[in-house]
Amino acid sequence: MSHISRRVFAGSALALLAGLTACSSEESTGGSGASDGGTDGGEITIDHAYGTTTIPGKPAVITTVQWANHEVPLALGVVPAGMAAANFGDDDGDGLLPWVAQKLEELGGKTPVLFDESDGVDFEAVGDTAPDVILAAYSGLSQEDYDTLFEIAPTVPFPETAWGTPWREMISTNATAMGMQAEGEELIASLEAEIEMAAAAHPAIAGKNAMFLTHVDTTDLSEVSFYTAHDTRTQFFTDLGMTIAPSVQTASDATEEFSSTVSAEQADTFGDVEIIVTYGDEALLAALKADPLLSQMPAVRNGAVVNLPSDSPLGTAANPTPLSISYILEDYLKELDRAATATA
């Protein structure tokens, strides 16, 4: 069923569900966070990019859409009724990333309904799970997507920026919508302590200026594309005790997008970058070093480049999520440590 067909279905057959859900203000506030996340059965209200969603009480049936939102209920011991199938980094083709499969096994839960989102949100499949709330704090939902999902159940989209919700805020927002705000705060504190302890064992990376390049096309190196400071991959550098390179931060201040591109002639702009993280292999590093412009970047010249296999769990987990952090943290730190040593 096409994306358009799914919208038509959701807008008609599923509209009957709207009367069973709480009302949402369609007046955009641009705010973020939750004003009430108690577990006493009272109303839960959450402000977000498209207004305010009210959930009448602690929801019993949780459904999630888009990337990684399902990891919040799973981390809190709740198996969602439905969630997006993994379409990136799924090394065995079962629709589950390894840390998600591991958690499901630990909980002894049945695999949720997996939504195929290769053509957008599957509204019909979401409706079939009969959710009490739909979680999407880390997402790129459009206003149209949100409106359609809200016809099914109270929906919680991203607080401010599409695909720019930091992992802490993803946890706090989704947990609050579940009526588990306190548990969400405990999860955040636990992960922070784990990250701090693990990073402390790799002092070589402390304070290093880092940059995360997007997927590099070695057949056309005329541009430098990178994730901005609005993207969670770049933000994670600071969690690890590193620094978002000032040049990247300056470039990020000029846009609200999660990625940006400059001409290779401006590569010297990033002369302060000490470590580059990107998706690729040794052939990519060789191509960067051979390029007369990009090779001027200190990180390239020194070989301080972390090449993450894009189709592997390690490459996927560079975008931190509640379950992937613990699963992959030490492997990622080892790669960063290697690159940091190369700058010496």
Side-chain angles (χ1 to χ4, degrees), residues 1-88:
M1 181 178 289
S2 71
H3 179 71
I4 294 176
S5 297
R6 284 196 294 268
R7 286 210 78 261
V8 171
F9 180 92
S12 55
L14 297 178
L16 294 175
L17 293 173
L20 302 177
T21 63
C23 295
S24 169
S25 167
E26 298 305 320
E27 182 179 341
S28 177
T29 64
S32 64
S35 54
D36 183 1
T39 57
D40 58 358
E43 280 191 350
I44 302 168
T45 58
I46 298 181
D47 298 331
H48 50 73
Y50 297 130
T52 300
T53 292
T54 301
I55 304 160
K58 185 172 181 178
V61 181
I62 311 294
T63 293
T64 73
V65 296
Q66 301 210 328
W67 184 260
N69 291 289
H70 51 275
E71 293 188 23
V72 176
L74 286 171
L76 298 178
V78 177
V79 178
M83 65 188 214
N87 55 15
F88 181 82

Side-chain angles (χ1 to χ4, degrees), residues 270-343:
F270 303 110
D272 60 347
V273 175
E274 297 172 287
I275 295 176
I276 288 175
V277 180
T278 190
Y279 300 105
D281 52 25
E282 288 304 312
L284 171 59
L285 178 57
L288 293 175
K289 282 190 169 185
D291 186 86
L293 295 175
L294 300 183
S295 61
Q296 298 177 33
M297 297 173 66
V300 173
R301 186 169 60 248
N302 295 332
V305 177
V306 174
N307 290 306
L308 302 174
S310 60
D311 58 351
S312 74
L314 178 58
T316 304
N319 187 349
T321 58
L323 295 178
S324 70
I325 289 173
S326 298
Y327 190 92
I328 213 74
L329 181 59
E330 186 55 39
D331 289 338
Y332 191 31
L333 285 168
K334 286 179 181 177
E335 289 299 309
L336 290 169
D337 201 316
R338 180 197 57 75
T341 303
T343 68

